[in-house]
Amino acid sequence: MSANDNTSTLKSTIDAVTGAAQNALGSITGSTADQSKGEAKQHKADAEYNASQATAKIPGFTASSSGAVTKDDPDRTAGKYNQTMGSAKEALGGLVGSEGLKTAGRNQNQEGQNQEAKGQVNDYVSGIGDRVTGTFGAAVAGVTGNQKAQSDYQDQHDAGKTQQRGAEHDIKKKADAEYDASQRPV
């Protein structure tokens, strides 16, 4: 369970909005104290947001600032393997002049990309589902006073957030690589 709710994306957004409002109020009224407090709250919100997005990605797993560690969907790992093997076949086919091997490698690489994308979507959707279930379950358990269930639901939320962030990380990494490749001169 996350003992520290300071890594909440929602909390950081609320703090950013209230900080901006306090800063604006200070500007209107001429209160430098309110402006300073508002700016401090906005800086704190930025730090909270960054912490809520923090993930460590290692092959097959994701760890987050909440302490949760999740395993990637098997399609992601299998897809990466198929991409690697496909690229190797394609390169070997090019070296030995085998158009059939080259084509088979290109096809396997493409199948691997599709398989990895499917796994990323599964992790992303599953992560969102666990976050929603965990959030609502923890709220209900908190109202009913069931601390054990509240802790379990918080753990589910944290694992879902970690799983979602891991998928987001890989999706963004791929998009950045594709963008960089499109910017290179031919």
Side-chain angles (χ1 to χ4, degrees), residues 17-152:
V17 170
T18 58
Q22 190 172 15
N23 190 353
L25 181 64
S27 293
I28 292 169
T29 63
S31 170
T32 56
D34 280 340
Q35 283 180 308
S36 295
K37 287 179 184 176
E39 287 176 11
K41 193 164 227 168
Q42 286 177 303
H43 290 302
K44 179 182 174 207
D46 287 343
E48 289 171 344
Y49 178 80
N50 290 337
S52 78
Q53 302 294 314
T55 57
K57 193 76 182 94
I58 56 174
F61 295 92
T62 304
S64 70
S65 58
S66 68
V69 177
T70 60
K71 187 174 183 338
D72 291 348
D73 185 283
D75 279 334
R76 291 171 75 179
T77 305
K80 287 177 186 175
Y81 173 81
N82 282 324
Q83 288 175 62
T84 302
M85 293 305 294
S87 293
K89 285 180 185 177
E90 188 174 359
L92 183 60
L95 284 174
V96 299
S98 171
E99 201 55 45
L101 186 58
K102 209 171 155 182
T103 301
R106 195 174 302 121
N107 290 341
Q108 186 174 358
N109 187 325
Q110 185 61 49
E111 288 171 12
Q113 289 177 25
N114 293 340
Q115 188 176 17
E116 182 183 13
K118 178 184 170 200
Q120 289 169 341
V121 168
N122 288 343
D123 276 351
Y124 187 81
V125 170
S126 175
I128 290 173
D130 282 346
R131 287 182 78 178
V132 169
T133 301
T135 298
F136 287 118
V140 170
V143 168
T144 62
N146 186 340
Q147 291 180 341
K148 170 71 171 116
Q150 188 175 12
S151 173
D152 290 346

Side-chain angles (χ1 to χ4, degrees), residues 154-182:
Q154 184 63 45
D155 288 345
Q156 182 179 7
H157 168 273
D158 291 348
K161 182 175 182 177
T162 301
Q163 191 170 30
Q164 178 187 352
R165 295 289 187 244
E168 288 171 350
H169 175 273
D170 285 350
I171 292 166
K172 183 178 182 328
K173 183 177 169 184
K174 182 174 180 174
D176 289 347
E178 288 175 357
Y179 175 79
D180 290 346
S182 73

